[in-house]
Amino acid sequence: MKTLDDYNFEDKKALIRVDFNVPLDGDFKVTDTSRIEAAKPTILKVLEDGGAAVLMSHLGRPKGKSNPDMSLSHICETVSEIIGVEVKFASDCVGKAADDAVADLEMGEILLLENLRFHDEEEAGDEAFSKALAKHGDIYVNDAFGTAHRAHASTTIVAKFFPGKKCFGYLLAKEIKAIEKVMRTGEKSITAILGGAKVSSKITIIENILDKVDNLIIGGGMTYTFIKAQGGKVGDSICEDDKMDLALDILKQAEAKGVQVYMPVDVLAADAFDNNAKTQFVDVNEIPEGWQGLDAGPKSLEIFKQVILNSKTILWNGPVGVFEMESFANGTIAIGNYIDEATQNGAFSLVGGGDSVAAVKQFGFEDKVSYVSTGGGAMLESLEGRTLPGIAAILD
Ligand code: AMP
């Protein structure tokens, strides 16, 4: 796997795909700089070698049209502050404006190109557009894990114009290593905690990880499809009736593969999907009509705790309750605390995919787990066992 350390960028222009799709407030100020911070080591390595960095990214969903609200010019100042070097800006990512800006770029300097998605060709993975982008650098570096599952021009197609001169940035390399540490080289026992709303969105992940893990903790809304399929009464809990056969099949597969499955035995049920609803702890198989399970109960958490503390490798995807409402956040916070303790005892813990990162950030677990993935969809697809096009294009 080629990374930045395999190259010396002296007198070279690095064309770097970063993920600067950051949130902006009404005054176009960046409200969360973590994606920019995450790209910093890669950019600094190029500059410290004596090279120049040409940065390209998308921002928002302009759908192929220029849109001043989504101009990357808004973030130039923030990037300059974070990297500590003044960032120049090109008013387009291809064509004369970009070509001239790249030609004027001196070693040690940084140039940020305008939003890639102002051109339809970016998401279409257009060859000619990719070639026009490729002109901007001597070496291509992909450091955008968040878009690595897309076969777009800047994330995938452009790589073919850099035979033998392309590599992963530090951030993308870290993401790949973290996933490998769980999916391929994880120390036993390996536990996956899967929560979230629906079984249907997690099926492929579950099927893929049954071959990799020793324990599977199922929590959150998807629990109830399994419980009802096994004959339990789930009241008004979220349930996908058409996925019950699949749920039973997953449990059978798990048994055949020797994977221990743990599900909640008790839940905090509410008489409405509301933070101020009436609540009671009930047996997971005996949820009364008119009530819905919205968080894991204390007996369940005790079981989950033992499993997590006995694990050496932990993957967490999806909350075990409706964590957005304070009344139902306890289970998700408890899981975070157990993972924190296990990590302090030497386990490797990876959190990522979909909403998990939001939960982790909300409750301040970011620094307590071994690794928080920066890519929602890309992480989910990796867990599903797919080879991401952006990664394949570098390995090619
Ligand atoms: P996902 O994106 O699939 O990981 O799902 C995350 C969502 O699942 C969060 O917004 C949670 O509020 C929701 N969720 C977790 N547990 C439950 C539950 N018991 N009932 C309904 N929604 C839930």
Side-chain angles (χ1 to χ4, degrees):
M1 185 169 102
K2 280 209 167 165
T3 71
L4 282 180
D5 293 329
D6 295 305
Y7 289 92
N8 186 326
F9 288 85
E10 192 176 0
D11 288 329
K12 302 271 189 262
K13 286 176 184 166
L15 176 64
I16 311 177
R17 177 50 157 107
V18 288
D19 181 1
F20 284 175
N21 184 28
V22 291
L24 301 176
D25 66 13
D27 297 323
F28 300 108
K29 289 257 174 296
V30 181
T31 54
D32 181 350
T33 57
S34 38
R35 286 182 168 165
I36 302 171
E37 314 260 4
K40 184 175 176 178
T42 291
I43 298 167
L44 285 185
K45 148 78 179 165
V46 170
L47 300 188
E48 280 163 8
D49 272 3
V54 179
L55 309 180
M56 52 180 180
S57 177
H58 74 282
L59 176 65
R61 293 190 173 154
K63 302 209 166 112
K65 289 198 183 63
S66 283
N67 179 338
D69 288 356
M70 296 179 206
S71 170
L72 279 165
S73 61
H74 298 305
I75 76 162
C76 251
E77 210 180 303
T78 308
V79 181
S80 302
E81 277 163 21
I82 290 172
I83 310 294
V85 175
E86 193 206 331
V87 173
K88 297 182 162 184
F89 185 71
S91 60
D92 202 348
C93 61
V94 288
K96 191 167 178 342
D99 293 347
D100 289 351
V102 172
D104 288 344
L105 192 69
E106 304 207 352
M107 295 303 139
E109 292 186 329
I110 302 174
L111 174 70
L112 176 61
L113 302 175
E114 182 56 290
N115 196 338
L116 292 156
R117 292 194 188 168
F118 284 180
H119 296 265
D120 267 338
E121 293 91 335
E122 162 65 0
E123 290 183 78
D126 182 80
E127 286 255 350
F129 179 76
S130 306
K131 199 171 176 185
L133 290 174
K135 279 204 297 189
H136 304 328
D138 303 304
I139 300 169
Y140 170 65
V141 180
N142 190 351
D143 210 20
F145 182 66
T147 48
H149 59 314
R150 307 278 185 223
H152 294 170
S154 69
T155 63
T156 303
I157 314 302
V158 70
K160 73 161 78 160
F161 298 102
F162 293 91
K165 288 185 176 166
K166 52 190 172 181
C167 64
F168 297 112
Y170 288 133
L171 173 66
L172 186 39
K174 252 200 303 193
E175 294 274 358
I176 296 169
K177 280 192 195 127
I179 293 165
E180 292 232 313
K181 238 175 152 169
V182 173
M183 306 294 269
R184 252 190 267 210
T185 59
E187 199 182 329
K188 281 176 170 284
S189 79
I190 306 174
T191 297
I193 305 149
L194 293 186
K198 291 180 169 179
V199 186
S200 50
S201 62
K202 304 281 162 95
I203 288 295
T204 328
I205 296 182
I206 300 178
E207 289 183 334
N208 186 45
I209 61 170
L210 282 181
D211 288 323
K212 334 263 181 208
V213 303
D214 304 297
N215 308 302
L216 173 62
I217 294 176
I218 293 175
M222 70 175 168
T223 306
Y224 306 102
T225 303
F226 286 89
I227 297 296
K228 189 169 174 187
Q230 290 177 311
K233 296 195 186 87
V234 300
D236 289 357
S237 306
I238 184 172
C239 184
E240 292 170 280
D241 287 349
D242 61 332
K243 294 289 177 291
M244 290 201 297
D245 287 346
L246 201 63
L248 292 178
D249 185 53
I250 286 171
L251 295 177
K252 244 197 235 156
Q253 282 185 50
E255 198 182 344
K257 290 178 179 178
V259 178
Q260 291 289 329
V261 178
Y262 300 89
M263 279 190 272
V265 291
D266 60 343
V267 295
L268 181 61
D271 65 354
F273 191 80
D274 188 315
N275 194 38
N276 299 317
K278 253 198 239 149
T279 60
Q280 60 173 326
F281 288 111
V282 293
D283 185 311
V284 73
N285 292 303
E286 297 292 344
I287 303 174
E289 285 305 319
W291 293 72
Q292 51 189 302
L294 294 183
D295 197 9
K299 291 181 201 147
S300 313
L301 291 173
E302 191 50 42
I303 296 169
F304 296 167
K305 179 180 181 182
Q306 296 313 321
V307 178
I308 292 169
L309 291 183
N310 283 313
S311 301
K312 282 275 171 240
T313 305
I314 301 160
L315 166 72
W316 184 20
N317 170 269
V320 298
V322 185
F323 73 96
E324 297 92 335
M325 294 187 217
E326 205 186 339
S327 306
F328 311 108
N330 179 56
T332 299
I333 295 172
I335 295 288
N337 284 328
Y338 306 151
I339 297 176
D340 175 15
E341 197 176 331
T343 308
Q344 285 185 46
N345 292 340
F348 176 80
S349 51
L350 167 63
V351 184
D355 267 352
S356 318
V357 176
V360 161
K361 280 190 178 173
Q362 185 174 327
F363 303 121
F365 290 122
E366 269 167 303
D367 302 327
K368 297 178 174 166
V369 298
S370 310
Y371 195 75
V372 181
S373 175
T374 56
M379 177 69 179
L380 290 176
E381 290 197 18
S382 300
L383 298 179
E384 287 175 352
R386 296 192 209 189
T387 306
L388 308 186
I391 292 175
I394 296 286
L395 298 174
D396 199 9

